[in-house]
Amino acid sequence: MLLATSTSGCLTFVFESDGSVQRPGWSATVTCAAPPTCAAPSALTAPTVTDTTADLAWTAGGTETEWDVEVGLPGFTPDTMTAEVTVLGITPTPDTLVSGLLPNTDYEYYVRAVCDLADTSIYIGPFTFTTACAAFTAPYFEDFETFVTSTTFVEDECWSASATAGFDWNVDGAGSTPSTGKTAHWQQIVV
């Protein structure tokens, strides 16, 4: 949503291109109406994230003491019933703990202020966060066969490689994981 900053209510659209991508036209729906009377929150954060929970916080947009929060996979649209987690009527402080999230997963969240039953702000967001990797239960087997083809190990599936000289590991284009006959050291990433 764009809000006019000019008292005339005029909106100016400016398009710039470096010419590297060419697409046909664009469309927009423009509605002229009074701006919302309920100020939107700002400064969305996720200060503490575990493998299945996230503490979400934001700054109130005005004097409101109630908010709605929607959490979903990247690209979801708030207020369309497509969120993974919806928390309505959060009071009295601008924060909430959401649970039931999946480990090692990217999420986005949006927040709107509730000033009155019929007066809410626009949704603000998205703020993106990633849940931590879950701890593995021993014994655990990882054959690394599903990792991306690469001559240098890329952090993947909650694993990282130590950067110790003399060790080598790669995934070749044939899908096998040959080593050079040396022992590699692996560690699980736990945040």
Side-chain angles (χ1 to χ4, degrees), residues 10-191:
C10 181
L11 296 174
T12 303
F13 296 92
V14 177
F15 296 93
E16 295 181 14
S17 174
D18 64 3
S20 63
V21 177
Q22 296 179 4
R23 306 263 178 182
W26 64 281
S27 70
T29 301
V30 177
T31 303
C32 295
T37 58
C38 187
S42 63
L44 280 61
T45 64
T48 306
V49 179
T50 71
D51 59 335
T52 60
T53 66
D55 181 25
L56 309 178
W58 55 91
T59 300
T63 59
E64 80 276 9
T65 58
E66 185 177 340
W67 299 269
D68 294 337
V69 173
E70 293 197 27
V71 180
L73 299 175
F76 90 100
T77 303
D79 213 18
T80 60
M81 300 185 70
T82 59
E84 300 290 316
V85 178
T86 300
V87 185
L88 303 175
I90 298 165
T91 62
T93 59
D95 58 23
T96 191
L97 178 69
V98 293
S99 59
L101 305 176
L102 297 175
N104 194 32
T105 303
D106 294 330
Y107 287 97
E108 295 177 342
Y109 85 94
Y110 293 80
V111 179
R112 74 176 171 189
V114 179
C115 296
D116 197 339
L117 288 175
D119 189 16
T120 59
S121 74
I122 60 171
Y123 271 100
I124 297 298
F127 181 87
T128 303
F129 65 93
T130 303
T131 51
C133 295
F136 293 114
T137 303
Y140 180 81
F141 173 78
E142 173 61 72
D143 64 6
F144 299 99
E145 295 298 323
T146 61
F147 280 61
V148 176
T149 301
S150 173
T151 56
T152 57
F153 186 83
V154 176
E155 191 174 293
D156 193 12
E157 302 298 323
C158 297
W159 290 94
S160 70
S162 63
T164 306
F167 295 103
D168 181 49
W169 186 274
N170 66 50
V171 177
D172 68 19
S176 63
T177 54
S179 71
T180 59
K182 300 175 183 171
T183 303
H185 297 278
W186 302 97
Q187 63 187 25
Q188 178 189 11
I189 303 167
V190 178
V191 179

